[in-house]
Amino acid sequence: MDDTINIYCYVYAGGKLVQQNDGLWKYIGGQSKGIHVYKGMSYAEFTSRILEKFDISMELAKMHYILKFNPKVIQDLEDAGDLDNVISYSDNFVEVYIVESSCLEGVEENLPTTHVANRSLPLVLSSSCASNNDITCDVMLQSRGFSSRCAETDYTPLESDRFREAILGSGHTFKNAEEFRNAIYQMSLGGRFQYKYLKNSPKHMSVKCSIELCPWKITAHAVASNEILRVHTFRDNHNHIAQDQCSSKLKVSSKRGAVIVGDVFRTTPDYLPRQICKDFSHDHGVGLTYKAWHIKEKAKERIYGAPRDSYMFLPWLCHRLREINPGTLAEYTSTDGHFSQLFVAHAFSIQGFMQGCRPILAIDSCHLSGPYKGALLSAIAYDGDDGMFPLAIGVVSSENYEDWYWFLEKVKHLLDEFSTP
């Protein structure tokens, strides 16, 4: 089996799914238990693990899941393909909801009543609500009342409101401290408050609200001797006066903000900083300036890796170029473990120059942009149609005598080697 992706799965059963007025789904009632799932897990094994935790009949129930990049759409979990999507598109945990057939009407009936509330029409309660306990009805009543007020005042809930439940409670696990810090930042963005760390280490995390005497506090401890953190203390209630709420300014961290826009960059690589500013203002109520560019760079780094890490692949890259295209020249130099120079001349370029180009070479250079700058050197020939034909390229630190001499020496060696009968 392929267990390279192993995540924690929260399974909810015994309750019902209700769509809130902001379009997000919430599971009300029942109980939750956890199981571990992995990439390649069979659907039969998945259901058997659930049946070990709950005394239910899968023939009378239906499973659903929600992907984090589209939390307003609920999807059915019916076969191995759906299970693979759940695991592949989740990070450190996933939530699966089990709804019995008798409660399926409640899911569907809640949709039209939500739309009724948005149009500020008289409240209509479904028959399934009347059969549930008072707590469920109260929650639905409060939700509809809030929606009615929103319709009257043209208030639109922020997208960041869904981050209020980035941490579900005591027992919630994270694969490392960095994931825990990201969740704390998302909660502050959704709850519109500032926080500070009392302890900030991979083994012990303690966070509290910045407002004095506010009871909000979350602590997490490492599980055994590994990097996994489990939430220990979870006090998710604030006690702020209006003055504190108005004076609270959210901290915008480029490192944490990159987590918020990471999914957008995966689908839209040309996501511009000015669009990030607009989306942060519209979705989260936070104004950005120059930090939008830093958020973009950090998001790209999370997806594609840091630019400095790519230099570690140079030995492998040169080896593969020579292996795949015999006759290719690919060499690099380093100083004290740091990259210095790179020379590449593909075999097909060498053969094309020797067989179909004029025996004249033109050399040129241009400056490189990016975090490490440098210069790109090139040797170019002209073919029979006066078209430019690249022979070799070099990447060096700058245009100086030593780098030019090294590059031309490589070109001379190339010509001497391949022009000899």
Side-chain angles (χ1 to χ4, degrees), residues 16-28 66 70-74 106-115 117-118 139-140 143-144 147:
K16 63 178 292 184
L17 275 168
V18 175
Q19 190 178 36
Q20 303 176 96
N21 295 283
D22 57 2
L24 303 181
W25 291 86
K26 185 175 183 180
Y27 197 84
I28 298 178
I66 300 173
N70 198 357
K72 296 183 180 181
V73 176
I74 189 166
V107 178
E108 298 171 354
E109 288 177 4
N110 184 58
L111 292 174
T113 51
T114 301
H115 295 310
N118 287 334
V139 172
M140 296 179 67
S143 177
R144 291 188 175 87
S147 177

Side-chain angles (χ1 to χ4, degrees), residues 107-218:
V107 178
E108 298 171 354
E109 288 177 4
N110 184 58
L111 292 174
T113 51
T114 301
H115 295 310
V116 166
N118 287 334
R119 293 192 297 269
S120 299
L121 295 178
L123 177 64
V124 178
L125 289 177
S126 63
S127 58
S128 59
C129 177
S131 62
N132 288 335
N133 54 40
D134 295 337
I135 297 178
T136 303
C137 292
D138 289 341
V139 172
M140 296 179 67
L141 283 169
Q142 292 173 6
S143 177
R144 291 188 175 87
F146 175 72
S147 177
S148 300
R149 292 192 298 272
C150 289
E152 295 170 0
T153 60
D154 295 327
Y155 173 78
T156 303
L158 297 174
E159 283 291 326
S160 56
D161 287 351
R162 60 189 175 91
F163 293 146
R164 294 175 183 270
E165 297 181 357
I167 299 179
L168 300 176
S170 299
H172 193 156
T173 57
F174 296 88
K175 62 183 179 181
N176 53 42
E178 190 65 17
E179 292 294 331
F180 176 80
R181 296 186 187 102
N182 291 336
I184 291 293
Y185 178 76
Q186 290 175 350
M187 288 190 71
S188 72
L189 200 61
R192 316 289 297 169
F193 66 92
Q194 294 186 34
Y195 61 91
K196 60 182 178 181
Y197 285 97
L198 302 179
K199 288 187 178 294
N200 189 0
S201 71
K203 299 296 183 182
H204 184 195
M205 307 289 288
S206 180
V207 196
K208 73 177 296 291
C209 182
S210 298
I211 303 299
E212 293 295 332
L213 303 179
C214 179
W216 188 92
K217 183 179 181 181
I218 298 178

Side-chain angles (χ1 to χ4, degrees), residues 203-349:
K203 299 296 183 182
H204 184 195
M205 307 289 288
S206 180
V207 196
K208 73 177 296 291
C209 182
S210 298
I211 303 299
E212 293 295 332
L213 303 179
C214 179
W216 188 92
K217 183 179 181 181
I218 298 178
T219 63
H221 303 279
V223 178
S225 59
N226 52 41
E227 296 182 348
I228 298 177
L229 286 179
R230 178 182 291 123
V231 176
H232 181 259
T233 303
F234 185 77
R235 295 203 295 264
D236 190 26
N237 57 304
H238 291 273
N239 185 12
H240 297 175
I241 61 175
Q243 183 179 356
D244 293 334
Q245 195 72 20
C246 294
S247 62
S248 177
K249 294 183 179 180
L250 296 178
K251 296 179 180 179
V252 181
S253 166
S254 57
K255 187 176 182 180
R256 308 300 169 202
V259 179
I260 306 298
V261 301
D263 290 331
V264 181
F265 268 100
R266 294 181 189 275
T267 57
T268 313
D270 56 347
Y271 195 35
L272 298 177
R274 64 172 178 268
Q275 187 61 44
I276 296 177
C277 292
K278 292 180 181 178
D279 290 347
F280 258 78
S281 177
H282 178 269
D283 296 340
H284 312 301
V286 178
L288 298 179
T289 52
Y290 64 91
K291 283 193 176 182
W293 184 86
H294 293 288
I295 289 175
K296 175 184 176 181
E297 295 302 311
K298 289 291 185 181
K300 291 166 60 178
E301 184 175 316
R302 281 177 55 86
I303 298 172
Y304 307 113
R308 61 180 177 273
D309 296 337
S310 62
Y311 287 92
M312 296 188 298
F313 293 98
L314 269 180
W316 173 84
L317 176 64
C318 293
H319 172 73
R320 289 293 292 164
L321 286 174
R322 294 190 296 265
E323 183 180 40
I324 295 174
N325 300 298
T328 295
L329 297 180
E331 303 176 9
Y332 76 98
T333 64
S334 60
T335 304
D336 297 331
H338 297 281
F339 168 79
S340 296
Q341 300 159 321
L342 173 66
F343 178 86
V344 176
H346 293 284
F348 48 80
S349 294

